Amino acid sequence: MAPIAIQKRPRTHEEYAASCIQFHRKTARGKVLKVLRETYSREDVPCGSTACRLCDADVYQAERAGTTNPARVPVLDQSGISNSFTGKPHYVVIDTNVALHQMDVLENPTFTNVVVLQTVLDEVRNRSLPLYNRLRALVQDPDRKFWIFFNDFHSGSKVVRDDNETPNDRNDRAIRQATAWFSAHLKQSNLPLRAVLVSDDVDNVHKARKQGLDACSVREYILGFSNAAQLNDLLSARDSSSHSSEGTRHAQVFDEYWEPTQLEAGVRAGTVFKGFFNANAYNYLEGSVRTDSGDKPILLQGRDAMNRAVDGDVVYVVLLPKSEWRGAMDAVLDPDTVQHNDDAREDDDDEEQEISDSEREVQLSGAAQNIQRTGRVVGIARRNWRSYVAHIDQTSMNQGAVASLGSQTVFASPVDRKIPRIKIRSRQVSELLNQKILVTIDAWRSTSRYPEGHFVRALGAAESKEAEQESLLLEYDVPYRPFSKSVLGCLPPEGDQWTVPPYDAESPVWRNREDLRNEQICSIDPPGCQDIDDALHAKPLPNGNIQVGVHIADVSYFVRPDTTMDAEAAARGTTVYLVDKRIDMLPHLLGTNLCSLRPFVERLAFSAIWEMTPDANVVSVRFTKSVIASKEAFTYEAAQRRKDDANLQDPITTSIRLLNQLAIQLKQRRMEAGALNLASPEVRIHMDSSETSGPIDVEQKEMFETNSLVEEFMLLANTSCAQRIYEAYPTTAVLRRHAPPPEDNFETLKDILRKRRGMQLDTSSSGALAASLDQCVDPQDPTFNTLVRILATRCMLAAEYFCTGSVARNAFGHYGLAMDMYTHFTSPIRRYADILAHRQLAAAIGYEPLPTSLYSKQYVDDTLNIVNKRHRLAQLAGRASVEFYVGLAITARNAQRGMDATSVGKRNASDSKASGSKLLQADAYVVRTFRNGLAVFVSQFGLEGLITFKQDCEFNPDTYQVTIPTKISGLPKDLTVGIFDRCRVEIGVEKDKSTKRGRVKMALVM
């Protein structure tokens, strides 16, 4: 048989160029790679219009050819969108800069029937992942009617980059070409619709109009809607500043940033340093940048040195001459006090000089102490700008224009004191007074003393519980929207009627699972716990050893890889626990029902089972998927009572006692190995009825022996899992590490302990630190040791999840636990990292294959970066919730005493005696001293407060003492206090006059 010859016409240079996409990509290690991708043009790319006759069902089916994805369905209305500015029904085609800078406008429900081009989507993804995710969310929302058109794949809209054309110019031309194709396509379908290009690029709009296309700016386009005034407030300040600054010259306030090439050259030469900018919470004119070079961070002092950096930005810094190096300031400086006369409408030169003098005076104070490297910001590598919860600063308002309908420029004061005031322009200023609002930063010009932004939305009345709680979630970027239909669609169709089926070895549920339903298993958790992740059992073995089992909810059975539920859980990262609510990582049905190891019901579990000697030495360990039936759900207190009751000898009680005996030995061994017993301020807030959700009291959490029992076996399960998954997947295992803190982190605490208490703190190793912390004891004050441990905890670095292929083997260790290898396996209901560990462990024991994504180091790295961020923010949100409710409880306590909580610091001793009542008082410890204030810690409420004085006092930075004259304190005599001294404070709530924000305030009473 003659061979079959396939002849293929060689492509011309033009055809080859048209099928290739070429770009450069920078790797994590800084290498620049040239990427070349070949694409193929086609005709069957659907337009997304429900009225289009040319794009029938076959076109939508052809689009999904070669994929497992379902065919897309058209979403653009046949009637289009109406807008009086354009005059005719149309679809909107957005430019890249609209997606990058006007996302708040796009997210307004007014905007529907929007075409998002592939060119725009790709560019947004490369420029800003958060904005890309917001744009994708709009596309996935069926009510918003956003359609992705793959213009780079359609032969009628694809463009090839010309030889002398920049990538940006090519993209602009691609957007205009796609708009032209859309208009022609709609006309060919005999539809009374057209495509309108909306762009804030003046040149692009001009070129589009020259081509005969309908095009306009966002500002022009929103004029055609009835709610134009509302939309106008959402416009980015980039747009408004470009309009207002035409023909206007402003004086230079800050130095311009260096060019990127100059910055990178400086980094390579070692003259420019790069790192995260951390603003000082006590002094708005000071910040620091920790870099890879040098033990201590580089100090930044003054507005000029910080040069428009905002907390969390990645900045470029150069050092000042050594003669200008200074020490950290020793004063508390509140921006509301210093900047209260600033005008939001303009930058007045005289005022600038006045503020600069004030700044200079503060900088010079205490500058001779603890000299360190000092520098200034010369560039920004990456902005950390986000949406901020804020209030309108009433003092910045033009009172004469309150009743007018025109826009006003005012200051929005963020709740986060590290963030500078933001200039916004709004027509709704009078309506937004005394409201919590959401604002965002758009730009910070070198000619403006303050960043410029825009109003996003109102959250509710300031100090209302609903507004405060939502603002807390927004401030810490907690995803709290209800789960989408696609996520809920991943749940078992039986809903809460789902049960473990009867035993059947062939059943998918029972496959390779061990039946542990007859074991004496119980759970031990805090009061009110509904998402029960873990349960335990122990029993004697015939050979004299003990079998111990830790059983963890098998969440990975329900949350399958590459599903929308899995993607949502990965994006949320963790469950967030607030005082009055819980923001779940997983839908309620799973978290509190089907996955929760509730008593008296059968549940799927992932079990770690050890054989241990009576001395708590591990003989062997095995992991297995299982089915369990918990016999009891205890609180820590109930389990403690059960263990201590000598009259009880039932199997569950015996199991708890066995576990406790082993846990005591495990902990002792851990401590001997150098584990740290650190502390953090923890309180329990007692709530009123579920209807009112009001706090009625607050107290310190009580710890029981059973707390330690559970902790030890969770640690054992986590480290056993870590070893197993690292053996199986040495380059992509999901582990958790805690790096040793830099030596200089403890310098101040060591100096304070030595000078104030004559105590030594050895930080040469975790074991040495643990031993020296045990010696920091005051026989007359048992709380002192807890306070030292709290301060030592603040000197530590944060633990983090990591991919084993991205970190050197000698950096795997967990400093605080004194463990060589560690992970999180025991809380998959509330932590996504645990789900990943479950999948790796299941594959390691041969239960099921490892998902393809978990072979990718890049995927694991990216996922864990998100999880680390979510975990950190969840902790901050939880603490902020506690602080808010502690403030409410303090207000309630003062009300019970017949006192106004806002009168703190305004009454003297004779007033109290005359009225026969006093504000709430408590013992406190001084934890920091300044020239004009001191920070105190009240252990009873787990609360730290700042007490400031209107005048400077006599301050001795060498001994960490401040002497407060009676004329300043109002006390009967002068008072000298230093760090670790006890004092008595009255506690109330302060209402900020400008923001109406309530916060706990303290005042010295002795």
Side-chain angles (χ1 to χ4, degrees):
M1 183 176 179
I4 299 175
I6 299 177
Q7 296 184 347
K8 186 176 181 180
R9 179 179 66 83
R11 287 184 295 175
T12 65
H13 174 74
E14 290 75 13
E15 289 174 328
Y16 179 76
S19 68
C20 291
I21 297 177
Q22 179 180 310
F23 60 93
H24 293 83
R25 181 172 66 86
K26 192 173 184 180
T27 68
R29 295 189 175 183
K31 294 183 178 180
V32 177
L33 300 179
K34 182 178 179 180
V35 180
L36 185 66
R37 290 179 181 167
E38 192 167 1
T39 63
Y40 297 92
S41 300
R42 51 197 293 179
E43 298 287 343
D44 52 358
V45 179
C47 69
S49 174
T50 56
C52 181
R53 300 183 183 89
L54 300 178
C55 299
D56 57 17
D58 291 340
V59 175
Y60 289 91
Q61 287 294 334
E63 183 188 37
R64 64 176 291 274
T67 73
T68 58
N69 299 325
R72 293 196 297 169
V73 295
V75 299
L76 302 176
D77 284 336
Q78 59 183 1
S79 57
I81 186 172
S82 298
N83 180 293
S84 61
F85 182 82
T86 59
K88 295 180 181 179
H90 59 276
Y91 298 138
V92 174
V93 180
I94 59 170
D95 198 355
T96 304
N97 54 51
V98 173
L100 288 173
H101 306 308
Q102 305 291 1
M103 184 59 72
D104 290 318
V105 178
L106 283 182
E107 288 178 331
N108 188 279
T110 303
F111 271 76
T112 61
N113 293 288
V114 176
V115 177
V116 181
L117 302 176
Q118 176 191 1
T119 300
V120 172
L121 198 65
D122 288 346
E123 194 169 358
V124 172
R125 179 173 54 191
N126 293 332
R127 298 275 295 276
S128 172
L129 192 57
L131 287 173
Y132 171 77
N133 290 332
R134 290 170 69 180
L135 187 57
R136 291 289 304 186
L138 288 173
V139 171
Q140 292 167 2
D141 185 347
D143 296 330
R144 297 304 307 276
K145 299 179 174 55
F146 276 58
W147 177 261
I148 298 177
F149 178 65
F150 296 98
N151 61 301
D152 285 338
F153 294 147
H154 197 291
S155 57
S157 58
K158 181 173 182 174
V159 300
V160 181
R161 181 181 167 189
D162 295 336
D163 291 338
N164 297 322
E165 193 174 34
T166 66
N168 186 64
D169 288 342
R170 180 265 170 200
N171 289 343
D172 286 347
R173 186 161 60 88
I175 292 168
R176 294 195 301 273
Q177 176 65 25
T179 306
W181 178 88
F182 238 94
S183 289
H185 181 76
L186 294 172
K187 185 176 181 180
Q188 189 178 357
S189 300
N190 295 318
L191 298 177
L193 294 164
R194 54 184 175 164
V196 175
L197 173 61
V198 176
S199 169
D200 277 339
D201 185 333
V202 176
D203 187 52
N204 204 21
V205 171
H206 175 72
K207 289 180 178 178
R209 288 173 175 171
K210 198 172 181 180
Q211 290 178 223
L213 302 176
D214 293 303
C216 62
S217 69
V218 178
R219 180 175 292 275
E220 291 171 330
Y221 185 71
I222 65 175
L223 292 175
F225 292 116
S226 58
N227 60 338
Q230 177 191 357
L231 294 173
N232 190 71
D233 280 353
L234 298 177
L235 283 174
S236 166
R238 290 173 180 266
D239 174 80
S240 58
S241 62
S242 65
H243 283 76
S244 62
S245 60
E246 292 177 1
T248 304
R249 287 187 174 274
H250 293 287
Q252 198 82 8
V253 178
F254 295 102
D255 290 340
E256 295 287 356
Y257 295 137
W258 293 5
E259 292 296 324
T261 52
Q262 185 182 2
L263 292 169
E264 289 300 328
V267 171
R268 289 192 295 271
T271 58
V272 176
F273 305 93
K274 186 177 178 181
F276 283 94
F277 172 69
N278 296 302
N280 188 326
Y282 293 106
N283 192 322
Y284 80 101
L285 288 178
E286 186 172 270
S288 62
V289 178
R290 183 173 287 281
T291 66
D292 294 334
S293 65
D295 294 331
K296 288 187 175 182
I298 298 172
L299 183 67
L300 306 177
Q301 285 190 338
R303 202 194 305 261
D304 293 342
M306 293 189 288
N307 196 5
R308 296 170 281 161
V310 175
D311 187 61
D313 287 349
V314 180
V315 300
Y316 293 100
V317 180
V318 295
L319 296 180
L320 298 177
K322 281 192 176 183
S323 59
E324 297 180 30
W325 289 9
R326 321 199 74 82
M329 301 181 197
D330 54 15
V332 177
L333 197 59
D334 186 349
D336 289 345
T337 302
V338 178
Q339 302 172 341
H340 68 281
N341 288 325
D342 284 10
D343 192 337
R345 295 169 298 171
E346 58 183 337
D347 294 315
D348 184 87
D349 292 338
D350 294 336
E351 184 184 350
E352 175 64 31
Q353 183 64 42
E354 177 187 342
I355 297 297
S356 296
D357 291 343
S358 175
E359 292 175 12
R360 191 173 297 109
E361 179 185 345
V362 174
Q363 287 181 45
L364 293 174
S365 62
Q369 300 293 330
N370 301 316
I371 299 297
Q372 64 186 93
R373 293 186 303 166
T374 308
R376 62 186 178 91
V377 172
V378 293
I380 305 292
R382 186 173 71 248
R383 285 292 192 187
N384 189 44
W385 293 348
R386 55 180 174 83
S387 294
Y388 301 97
V389 178
H391 304 77
I392 297 294
D393 185 345
Q394 192 168 350
T395 62
S396 68
M397 289 180 55
N398 178 3
Q399 298 298 330
V402 169
S404 73
L405 298 178
S407 294
Q408 274 199 71
T409 300
V410 293
F411 284 127
S413 297
V415 171
D416 187 347
R417 310 294 284 187
K418 290 184 174 184
I419 306 301
R421 293 193 294 179
I422 303 167
K423 288 179 14 178
I424 66 170
R425 193 166 175 79
S426 174
R427 297 172 184 267
Q428 309 173 58
V429 170
S430 59
E431 300 171 17
L432 298 177
L433 284 178
N434 303 321
Q435 295 267 323
K436 287 267 189 175
I437 62 172
L438 196 65
V439 299
T440 190
I441 296 178
D442 299 315
W444 196 343
R445 294 176 290 120
S446 60
T447 55
S448 176
R449 197 182 311 148
Y450 296 97
E452 297 166 284
H454 67 270
F455 164 76
V456 177
R457 65 186 176 94
L459 304 177
E463 293 194 283
S464 69
K465 199 171 301 179
E466 295 75 17
E468 293 292 345
Q469 288 292 4
E470 185 178 10
S471 67
L472 185 151
L473 295 173
L474 290 166
E475 187 64 27
Y476 295 104
D477 197 20
V478 176
Y480 66 100
R481 299 301 182 194
F483 290 100
S484 67
K485 293 179 181 178
S486 58
V487 170
L488 298 178
C490 298
L491 294 170
E494 302 90 344
D496 58 7
Q497 299 302 309
W498 183 92
T499 58
V500 177
Y503 177 78
D504 178 0
E506 302 302 320
S507 166
V509 175
W510 280 94
R511 181 183 62 83
N512 296 332
R513 284 189 187 272
E514 225 173 292
D515 187 351
L516 301 177
R517 291 175 294 179
N518 293 326
E519 297 294 346
Q520 299 299 310
I521 296 172
C522 67
S523 60
I524 306 175
D525 291 286
C529 181
Q530 294 179 308
D531 49 347
I532 303 175
D533 286 286
D534 55 87
L536 309 94
H537 89 274
K539 66 179 181 181
L541 296 173
N543 63 359
N545 288 339
I546 301 168
Q547 183 189 87
V548 175
V550 169
H551 313 279
I552 307 302
D554 189 6
V555 175
S556 60
Y557 173 82
F558 296 96
V559 183
R560 303 306 299 167
D562 303 321
T563 62
T564 51
M565 183 187 293
D566 183 52
E568 181 69 17
R572 294 189 177 216
T574 182
T575 292
V576 182
Y577 293 91
L578 307 179
V579 170
D580 65 334
K581 66 171 66 176
R582 185 183 64 244
I583 311 299
D584 291 314
M585 182 183 78
L586 298 173
H588 186 76
L589 177 65
L590 293 185
T592 62
N593 190 346
L594 304 188
C595 290
S596 183
L597 304 182
R598 301 192 298 181
F600 320 122
V601 292
E602 296 175 358
R603 287 288 180 256
L604 304 182
F606 206 154
S607 299
I609 301 175
W610 298 266
E611 181 181 342
M612 304 180 73
T613 67
D615 296 330
N617 292 312
V618 175
V619 177
S620 64
V621 59
R622 63 186 179 88
F623 297 95
T624 179
K625 294 279 185 143
S626 62
V627 177
I628 68 169
S630 175
K631 304 300 185 288
E632 190 62 75
F634 294 107
T635 63
Y636 291 117
E637 185 177 5
Q640 186 72 36
R641 287 199 306 267
R642 188 80 168 247
K643 180 189 78 69
D644 294 341
D645 191 341
N647 296 321
L648 296 176
Q649 299 297 329
D650 58 278
I652 284 287
T653 305
T654 301
S655 175
I656 293 174
R657 288 174 183 149
L658 274 174
L659 290 167
N660 191 61
Q661 292 167 14
L662 295 170
I664 290 172
Q665 298 175 81
L666 288 172
K667 183 174 183 178
Q668 181 180 353
R669 201 168 295 149
R670 223 169 30 84
M671 292 301 165
E672 290 171 353
L676 295 172
N677 183 17
L678 299 173
S680 60
E682 291 190 89
V683 295
R684 174 181 297 167
I685 296 174
H686 296 281
M687 304 296 289
D688 203 342
S689 65
S690 58
E691 288 78 13
T692 61
S693 298
I696 57 175
D697 204 359
V698 57
E699 65 178 8
Q700 285 183 295
K701 283 187 178 178
E702 186 177 3
M703 303 300 288
F704 299 93
E705 202 174 25
T706 47
N707 287 79
S708 180
L709 180 160
V710 174
E711 179 186 12
E712 291 306 318
F713 282 105
M714 296 306 109
L715 293 175
L716 181 62
N718 287 334
T719 190
S720 298
C721 173
Q723 293 164 0
R724 187 69 183 87
I725 63 177
Y726 179 64
E727 289 172 5
Y729 306 105
T731 59
T732 58
V734 174
L735 300 187
R736 186 167 175 81
R737 66 173 183 154
H738 182 208
E743 181 65 26
D744 65 288
N745 280 24
F746 281 96
E747 279 186 3
T748 301
L749 180 58
K750 289 165 71 173
D751 191 52
I752 293 170
L753 281 168
R754 183 175 64 253
K755 291 178 178 177
R756 299 291 303 155
R757 290 297 182 108
M759 297 176 178
Q760 301 296 323
L761 202 62
D762 186 352
T763 57
S764 58
S765 68
S766 62
L769 177 58
S772 57
L773 284 173
D774 289 341
Q775 300 301 315
C776 294
V777 176
D778 183 344
Q780 307 299 320
D781 186 2
T783 309
F784 172 73
N785 183 259
T786 302
L787 177 62
V788 174
R789 293 181 188 275
I790 290 173
L791 296 179
T793 302
R794 296 178 181 179
C795 299
M796 300 288 179
L797 299 177
E800 63 178 4
Y801 300 104
F802 71 100
C803 174
T804 50
S806 302
V807 173
R809 176 62 185 87
N810 61 3
F812 282 16
H814 197 293
Y815 179 82
L817 298 174
M819 289 182 175
D820 180 57
M821 193 179 298
Y822 188 69
T823 192
H824 273 163
F825 162 74
T826 54
S827 296
I829 292 177
R830 60 185 179 91
R831 294 189 303 231
Y832 187 72
D834 300 52
I835 294 178
L836 297 181
H838 276 229
R839 289 173 181 164
Q840 292 182 332
L841 185 59
I845 65 174
Y847 180 81
E848 61 185 356
L850 186 69
T852 307
S853 58
L854 289 181
Y855 284 108
S856 166
K857 185 166 71 73
Q858 185 66 48
Y859 169 82
V860 176
D861 273 334
D862 293 344
T863 302
L864 294 183
N865 284 338
I866 296 171
V867 171
N868 281 324
K869 174 189 172 184
R870 293 295 185 201
H871 181 76
R872 182 173 62 254
L873 292 173
Q875 288 180 316
L876 296 174
R879 292 170 193 164
S881 178
V882 169
E883 289 177 8
F884 174 68
Y885 274 93
V886 167
L888 294 182
I890 287 171
T891 301
R893 277 202 183 187
N894 278 311
Q896 291 171 3
R897 296 164 170 260
M899 301 296 294
D900 179 4
T902 61
S903 64
V904 62
K906 301 175 183 177
R907 298 166 56 86
N908 56 41
S910 60
D911 293 333
S912 297
K913 290 178 182 178
S915 64
S917 60
K918 295 181 179 179
L919 280 166
L920 178 65
Q921 295 186 2
D923 289 328
Y925 292 85
V926 177
V927 294
R928 193 162 178 181
T929 51
F930 305 93
R931 281 189 299 111
N932 61 340
L934 45 89
V936 298
F937 176 72
V938 182
S939 59
Q940 179 182 349
F941 300 120
L943 198 62
E944 187 170 330
L946 184 64
I947 300 174
T948 57
F949 311 121
K950 294 181 179 179
Q951 301 175 33
D952 286 353
C953 303
E954 182 183 336
F955 177 62
N956 188 336
D958 189 53
T959 61
Y960 304 97
Q961 286 181 308
V962 60
T963 299
I964 310 149
T966 181
K967 65 178 182 179
I968 294 178
S969 67
L971 299 175
K973 59 180 181 179
D974 293 353
L975 182 66
T976 299
V977 291
I979 295 181
F980 291 136
D981 284 348
R982 292 181 67 175
C983 58
R984 189 79 174 167
V985 296
E986 63 178 14
I987 310 174
V989 176
E990 176 186 46
K991 289 189 178 180
D992 190 291
K993 292 181 180 179
S994 298
T995 65
K996 308 300 181 185
R997 176 172 55 242
R999 57 184 177 186
V1000 172
K1001 182 181 179 182
M1002 302 181 193
L1004 285 171
V1005 293
M1006 63 174 291

